Amino acid sequence: MVDVIVRERRLRWPIAAHFEASIRGQTVRSIDRRAKYILIRFDAGSLILHLGMSGSLRLVKLDTAPKPHDHWDIRLDSGWILRFHDPRRFGSLHWTESDPALHPLLKQLAPEPLSDAFHAQYLYLATRKRSVAIKQFIMNSQLVVGVGNIYASEALFRARISPRRAARRITRKEAAALAQAIKDVLSEAIKIGGTTLRDYVNADGAPGYFRQKLFVYEREGAACRVCRSPIKQFVQGQRSTYWCSACQR
Ligand SMILES: [Zn+2]
């Protein structure tokens, strides 16, 4: 049994007027994710929520008073509240009674990197005729979602490919190595619990430790863990890129 309380409807998009009536009294069936959207599925439909730039979700005890910027609550009959906090209000909350994959926010999204839809052949074919640098190419969310700057740098190091190389110059074998490296880097980061010490805390409030395993990211001047050459840094598409010019070609 679920109840819902909305204190502020003006998020990135206004929360629909019928929203509370749609969800009240229903049971949560599953929780899932697509790109940066969190999907909470009920019998009658699904919530599609996005944390925006500054949003966070916390589980708090039922009698916890809301603080400023606590915009909505989902009250669970287990005695907890799922509470959304967002000072900048770029987060969003939508309700759909159709398949969320068909919602306008989700239906154009590129494959998930850890899904079977993202594979060597997909990456190889997508790179053909593309002269953009391979690092910027794999960070493009129209190719694959969720490969951020850290993971792009690390995956290219593991696949031994220079971040400056034109996407179309990647061989079939390199595309296979890169697709696998992207999957490996992300899987390891998830297992360890994230990378960004500054922003990321897990449910217990502990920081992400994947940073300690990085080969190149933010290691400029330090010795490459493979060949001992100094790691280099340059700016590419307004983002810092880190690489080993001896290991990566
Ligand atoms: Zn090296």
Side-chain angles (χ1 to χ4, degrees):
M1 172 82 173
V2 153
D3 195 8
V4 57
I5 292 164
V6 179
R7 294 183 204 86
E8 173 59 83
R9 310 193 87 83
R10 295 167 302 165
L11 300 184
R12 179 166 184 184
W13 295 288
I15 296 178
H18 61 82
F19 173 77
E20 290 95 319
S22 305
I23 165 177
R24 187 163 286 144
Q26 293 198 48
T27 303
V28 176
R29 292 300 176 196
S30 65
I31 299 178
D32 195 350
R33 180 194 60 78
R34 178 74 173 97
K36 289 188 178 177
Y37 294 94
I38 298 165
L39 308 176
I40 304 180
R41 297 174 194 267
F42 300 84
D43 293 320
S46 302
L47 284 180
I48 303 175
L49 69 100
H50 194 291
L51 301 178
M53 299 176 75
S54 57
S56 60
L57 285 171
R58 289 283 181 278
L59 272 177
V60 297
K61 287 283 191 189
L62 206 53
D63 54 3
T64 310
K67 297 193 178 92
H69 313 298
D70 283 347
H71 301 314
W72 54 257
D73 288 349
I74 293 177
R75 294 177 165 250
L76 306 168
D77 59 3
S78 55
W80 294 87
I81 294 173
L82 182 65
R83 178 163 285 169
F84 180 67
H85 176 85
D86 186 7
R88 296 178 68 178
R89 290 196 273 118
F90 283 113
S92 65
L93 184 60
H94 288 86
W95 171 256
T96 178
E97 292 179 0
S98 311
D99 179 355
L102 304 175
H103 191 276
L105 290 171
L106 273 63
K107 75 176 178 196
Q108 304 291 349
L109 292 170
E112 292 287 331
L114 295 178
S115 72
D116 293 341
F118 180 70
H119 52 72
Q121 179 73 350
Y122 171 82
L123 180 60
Y124 179 72
L125 292 176
T127 53
R128 299 305 86 188
K129 299 183 180 166
R130 298 298 304 271
S131 54
V132 65
I134 187 66
K135 167 137 180 293
Q136 286 161 277
F137 188 72
I138 59 174
M139 288 178 66
N140 182 342
S141 60
Q142 291 174 346
L143 171 82
V144 57
V145 297
V147 181
N149 197 29
I150 298 174
Y151 304 110
S153 291
E154 293 295 312
L156 285 163
F157 176 83
R158 292 182 187 208
R160 305 177 66 94
I161 299 168
S162 163
R164 293 186 210 259
R165 191 113 66 87
R168 64 186 161 81
R169 304 282 303 276
I170 298 299
T171 65
R172 202 175 277 276
K173 200 174 157 192
E174 286 170 332
L178 183 54
Q180 191 57 50
I182 289 169
K183 289 174 189 279
D184 290 348
V185 163
L186 289 169
S187 307
E188 288 169 33
I190 291 166
K191 204 167 147 196
I192 296 175
T195 307
T196 312
L197 290 170
R198 197 170 50 246
D199 306 330
Y200 182 84
V201 290
N202 67 16
D204 303 321
Y209 288 102
F210 188 65
R211 183 169 290 263
Q212 296 167 8
K213 307 268 182 186
L214 299 176
F215 284 97
V216 289
Y217 188 79
E218 288 189 344
R219 294 194 70 243
E220 72 271 30
C224 172
R225 298 194 203 279
V226 173
C227 76
R228 313 307 297 166
S229 304
I231 298 298
K232 294 180 177 174
Q233 180 266 342
F234 67 99
V235 175
Q236 200 175 22
Q238 285 131 29
R239 305 299 299 272
S240 271
T241 292
Y242 302 86
W243 70 305
C244 175
S245 58
C247 290
Q248 294 173 258
R249 296 295 162 139

